[in-house]
Amino acid sequence: MASVQPPPAPLAPHRPSIAAALRFYSPAVSPRVSPSPAARSRRLAVAARAMPWPHVLTVAGSDSGAGAGIQADIKACAALGAYCSSVITAVTAQNTVGVQGVHAVPEEFVGEQLRSVLSDMSVDVVKTGMLPSAGIVKVLCESLRKFPVKALVVDPVMVSTSGDTLSGPSTLTTYRDELFPMADIVTPNVKEASKLLGDVSLQTISDMRSAAESIYKLGPKYVLVKGGDMPDSTDAIDVFFDGKEFIELRGLRIKTRNTHGTGCTLASCIAAELAKGASMLHAVEAAKKFVESALYHSKDLVIGNGPQGPFDHLFSLKSPLYKMGSLHKFNPDDLFLYAVTDSGMNKKWGRSIEDAVKAAIEGGATIVQLREKDAETREFLEAAKTCVEICRSSGVPLLINDRIDVALACNADGVHVGQSDMPAWEVRELLGPGKIIGVSCKTPAQAEQAWKDGADYIGCGGVFPTTTKANNPTLGFEGLRTVCFASKLPVVAIGGINARNAGSVMELGLPNLKGVAVVSALFDRECVATETRSLRSILMNACSRS
Ligand SMILES: Cc1ncc(COP(=O)(O)OP(=O)(O)O)c(N)n1
Ligand SMILES: Cc1nc(C(=O)O)sc1CCOP(=O)(O)O
Ligand SMILES: [Mg+2]
């Protein structure tokens, strides 16, 4: 299997409009003259190049209740913008109570379905779910050898969430011997991991790590052991292993009965993100965020009378403002030199917001926030749209201060909110999992809440007195230290930071402290680029010393 490629540049800005792509399909100049088959297929090929559609093929069972299986996979891929074709391995009679019956599709016919799709439809990623017999696993492996794809995501579905067996012991051996060595990632939950490893007991995170390592030795490039079934705690921890490093991925445990199909959905989302070009870790992180958001939005929905209901994969359709965000997930290192604009200062020095942002990027700012307290909305939005383009072309994330509406309208990378702004969890509902959310925090309790609310980072200050923000309490190094030690999120220090003191902040070497956010020391100066450049070199020197 070819390895997964690093993420390409964001797709959206480079894609031609739908109208432009459709022009390739429209009839020739004279509608009476049909194009020759060769011309037609050339035109289709050009159109296909012009508008690629990430394609996931799911090889799984049908769930009549439509919460899991093929139905969940198709909905998950659709929600993430990937096309999903389907090869059905079994038909199950299933509802919110459990699985009442399983009817496996004959191996030969599974093979025929695989041939139909793989020989024609440029599949990027194959995702597997229920594979009810060893013969079907073998047929799949043969097909993948004949028609290689970019990545293979194996969700080793063996027992349904209701506890019903979906594939027998002989399948286990074939999974281990034939399918896993071809897989890019295998995603068992703790019960499945235990079964795969001969019913070992998995009780702790350390057990999950050992299980991930043992499964890795069976041949996949990555393993994700999902801890959702581990004994109750506020967060659900999954262990991701790439053969060298273990990463604990924490997610919020959403209290709801509607969890049927979470495993299928997670694996399909990973497949969809890979098909879109994400790296494996980013695909897993995006998939976790999607499942978390879907569970959150569906927690009170009621379908069926059993203990496990389905959730709404297409929740974003109900929230028209919701956007899935860009492929580029938040990187905490982006907080290193955080430039925060100020309309008053820019006016004073006779420059536009756009010029200020360009100069900060030229000087090496790693993230930009538009903090325009006095701007009129329309003027602000127009400037924000231009700044989004400037920042995107430089690979620098752009956040909007306070104004969720402006962030949505200009499709910024995220927002920064304070304790008196819209609560971060509401912001998350509006922006969705793909956007960056920062929250100002002055205490450990606020930092804990920001994490629970789904924020990506916190801003902590004022480290020093500032005249930029009125009545802002000064925390000093001690206050910053307390918050950094308590925070589960990356931290950026703010307040009165300038070329004279920035080094001393970074030299504290505090856990989670990723950088400094600065307003006046960059923008209340004549040359923004020069000030940014010199602050950057001070920060880099400080980091190399600490
Ligand atoms: C990175 C960063 N940290 C803190 C703040 C302050 O946000 P808030 O408390 O909402 O105050 P205002 O900026 O809205 O005045 C920030 N903007 N950025
Ligand atoms: C916007 C802001 N927030 C702060 C906080 O403590 O949360 S301090 C601050 C102003 C920072 O401006 P300067 O770099 O000019 O001191
Ligand atoms: Mg604010």
Side-chain angles (χ1 to χ4, degrees):
M1 204 91 343
S3 63
V4 179
Q5 297 301 307
L11 290 173
H14 306 297
R15 284 186 171 185
S17 67
I18 291 176
L22 283 177
R23 273 199 295 276
F24 287 111
Y25 289 107
S26 58
V29 182
S30 161
R32 276 165 296 165
V33 183
S34 319
S36 69
R40 193 176 140 68
S41 70
R42 247 193 330 271
R43 211 180 287 156
L44 284 170
V46 174
R49 261 205 314 278
M51 207 158 169
W53 196 351
H55 185 158
V56 174
L57 161 63
T58 171
V59 182
S62 159
D63 168 5
S64 53
I70 288 277
Q71 289 82 353
D73 298 345
I74 293 175
K75 286 184 279 185
C77 288
L80 292 182
Y83 184 79
C84 185
S85 52
S86 54
V87 163
I88 300 188
T89 58
V91 182
T92 70
Q94 202 175 157
N95 56 20
T96 61
V97 179
V99 182
Q100 290 81 43
V102 175
H103 194 74
V105 172
E107 282 157 42
E108 305 70 44
F109 199 68
V110 171
E112 201 169 326
Q113 294 176 72
L114 282 164
R115 204 163 31 254
S116 294
V117 178
L118 290 168
S119 65
D120 173 48
M121 297 181 78
S122 327
V123 172
D124 293 303
V125 179
V126 167
K127 175 257 161 188
T128 70
M130 178 182 177
L131 302 174
S133 68
I136 286 179
V137 180
K138 282 177 191 289
V139 163
L140 172 63
C141 292
E142 272 161 32
S143 304
L144 288 172
R145 278 189 281 272
K146 196 156 170 206
F147 302 104
V149 292
K150 276 193 223 153
L152 172 63
V153 177
V154 174
D155 183 24
V157 175
M158 283 172 285
V159 185
S160 75
T161 28
S162 53
D164 300 277
T165 300
L166 298 174
S167 71
S170 65
T171 321
L172 257 187
T173 322
T174 327
Y175 257 115
R176 280 193 300 240
D177 297 348
E178 296 202 34
L179 193 58
F180 285 9
M182 299 179 82
D184 286 84
I185 185 165
V186 177
T187 63
N189 58 32
V190 280
K191 278 190 206 137
E192 288 157 350
S194 159
K195 259 199 176 323
L196 284 165
L197 299 171
D199 289 320
V200 291
S201 154
L202 300 178
Q203 301 291 337
T204 62
I205 299 291
S206 152
D207 295 342
M208 287 167 68
R209 284 172 172 240
S210 309
E213 199 166 9
S214 304
I215 295 170
Y216 177 82
K217 288 187 183 140
L218 298 171
K221 294 194 184 78
Y222 300 87
V223 179
L224 180 73
V225 178
K226 299 171 292 186
D229 295 337
M230 293 294 265
D232 265 2
S233 67
T234 44
D235 31 333
I237 300 172
D238 297 345
V239 171
F240 177 83
F241 184 57
D242 62 5
K244 288 191 206 87
E245 209 190 338
F246 294 97
I247 300 177
E248 287 176 22
L249 300 168
R250 286 160 194 272
L252 210 54
R253 194 184 287 281
I254 314 281
K255 282 207 169 68
T256 174
R257 70 182 265 282
N258 297 331
T259 55
H260 182 50
T262 42
C264 308
T265 303
L266 188 91
S268 295
C269 290
I270 295 172
E273 290 298 319
L274 292 177
K276 282 152 67 179
S279 71
M280 188 58 84
L281 181 57
H282 285 179
V284 170
E285 285 173 330
K288 273 180 74 72
K289 280 211 161 173
F290 176 84
V291 172
E292 209 176 282
S293 303
L295 290 176
Y296 180 82
H297 283 267
S298 311
K299 61 188 185 315
D300 302 321
L301 299 178
V302 182
I303 287 192
N305 299 302
Q308 274 215 316
F311 60 90
D312 185 1
H313 296 75
L314 301 176
F315 63 97
S316 62
L317 296 180
K318 293 182 189 147
S319 220
L321 293 177
Y322 183 99
K323 293 198 177 88
M324 276 313 293
S326 62
L327 268 175
H328 293 278
K329 233 197 85 65
F330 172 59
N331 175 0
D333 293 335
D334 289 340
L335 297 173
F336 187 61
L337 176 43
Y338 192 150
V340 182
T341 70
D342 179 291
S343 43
M345 293 174 196
N346 285 332
K347 273 205 186 94
K348 175 177 156 192
W349 290 96
R351 57 173 100 84
S352 65
I353 309 174
E354 295 90 324
D355 286 343
V357 167
K358 266 188 211 153
I361 291 177
E362 188 194 324
T366 52
I367 185 167
V368 174
Q369 180 189 136
L370 301 187
R371 183 174 177 273
E372 300 293 317
K373 295 289 189 187
D374 315 314
E376 296 290 341
T377 299
R378 187 168 302 190
E379 182 197 338
F380 183 22
L381 177 59
E382 286 316 309
K385 283 181 178 167
T386 311
C387 291
V388 165
E389 280 173 27
I390 295 167
C391 287
R392 261 201 199 137
S393 65
S394 314
V396 171
L398 180 87
L399 273 55
I400 305 290
N401 176 273
D402 294 351
R403 297 287 303 267
I404 319 302
D405 55 342
V406 173
L408 283 162
C410 71
N411 197 16
D413 296 300
V415 295
H416 186 95
V417 285
Q419 294 296 322
S420 51
D421 300 318
M422 187 184 286
W425 67 268
E426 301 247 30
V427 179
R428 180 59 77 204
E429 285 211 2
L430 288 171
L431 297 190
K435 299 286 183 182
I436 304 168
I437 299 177
V439 180
S440 306
C441 298
K442 295 189 189 302
T443 65
Q446 289 173 354
E448 173 78 9
Q449 191 60 47
W451 174 75
K452 285 190 177 150
D453 286 352
D456 294 292
Y457 75 88
I458 62 169
C460 181
V463 181
F464 303 105
T466 177
T467 50
T468 304
K469 184 171 166 65
N471 307 317
N472 190 51
T474 303
L475 302 182
F477 284 171
E478 261 326 293
L480 176 66
R481 185 190 310 272
T482 308
V483 173
C484 282
F485 269 95
S487 179
K488 293 185 179 122
L489 293 172
V491 183
V492 62
I494 188 167
I497 296 174
N498 55 42
R500 285 183 308 282
N501 58 29
S504 63
V505 177
M506 292 315 285
E507 277 167 14
L508 293 171
L510 293 173
N512 300 309
L513 185 63
K514 296 290 179 184
V516 296
V518 183
V519 185
S520 53
L522 302 183
F523 295 105
D524 202 5
R525 300 284 189 278
E526 189 172 4
C527 183
V528 175
T530 307
E531 301 299 334
T532 314
R533 203 170 290 120
S534 110
L535 192 57
R536 187 181 165 110
S537 96
I538 288 166
L539 291 173
M540 303 228 288
N541 288 337
C543 285
S544 64
R545 279 196 299 272
S546 64

